Amino acid sequence: QLASVSDYGSGTVHVGAPGVNILSTTPGNTYSVYSGTSMATPHVTGILALIRSQHPDWSHQQVIAQLMASTDSIVSLEGRTIAGRVNAASALDDAIASRGQISLGRGNYSVGESVTVHVVDGDLTTLESAEVIIDSSDGDSLTLQLLAISPGVFEGTFPTDDGTIELSGSLSITSGGTISATYLDAN
């Protein structure tokens, strides 16, 4: 459930975290239930600390990229965060860091809308840009230049030109550093 006081922005808010009806300790050795960013922040901070404890040699950019690459896609955060909802178990999976994540916004777009693409990859924290090849199910492809908006996090947009498209979130990186995404044409 998205809190009524939540901040969101598909290009400005990196992740979402539980923040509604969170049981918290309070003075006097008691517990109370609260909602808001003050309840969500400890989830994110705790996961970052877990990643750092597992990888003390990583840069802070790699730690953040791991957090973002390990998120879960959930409907209430589609188009509202760059990545998705934090997932502590996935964040501690070393395989996440090397496979990266692609976010294609909310999933369905109409003619004329621009699709925002985000790529998170902890192995690409030193790059200022990344090239993405987006393939459609009908064999067409589009090469898109993504710019780094933070280390290991890239963003770019492309227009939809003919019909509604449904995007999938598959991502592969070739030895040449090319990132490939696919989308399925709903027509």
Side-chain angles (χ1 to χ4, degrees), residues 43-57:
H43 288 89
V44 176
T45 305
I47 295 169
L48 289 169
L50 289 169
I51 296 168
R52 174 62 89 192
S53 72
Q54 189 173 8
H55 299 283
D57 56 321

Side-chain angles (χ1 to χ4, degrees), residues 35 54 134 165:
S35 296
Q54 189 173 8
I134 300 172
I165 60 171

Side-chain angles (χ1 to χ4, degrees), residues 7-53:
D7 285 332
Y8 55 88
S10 62
T12 55
V13 175
H14 287 74
V15 295
V20 176
N21 297 325
I22 305 298
L23 186 64
S24 181
T25 56
T26 50
N29 202 24
T30 60
Y31 297 92
S32 296
V33 175
Y34 294 102
S35 296
T37 56
S38 294
M39 295 293 101
T41 301
H43 288 89
V44 176
T45 305
I47 295 169
L48 289 169
L50 289 169
I51 296 168
R52 174 62 89 192
S53 72

Side-chain angles (χ1 to χ4, degrees), residues 10 78-79 104-117 134 142 144 156-167 183 186:
S10 62
E78 285 182 4
L104 298 163
R106 62 182 187 271
N108 293 303
Y109 292 83
S110 297
V111 177
E113 287 186 279
S114 290
V115 177
T116 299
V117 178
I134 300 172
L142 167 74
L144 180 64
T157 61
F158 68 92
T160 59
D161 52 1
D162 60 1
T164 301
I165 60 171
E166 179 181 318
L167 297 166
Y183 72 86

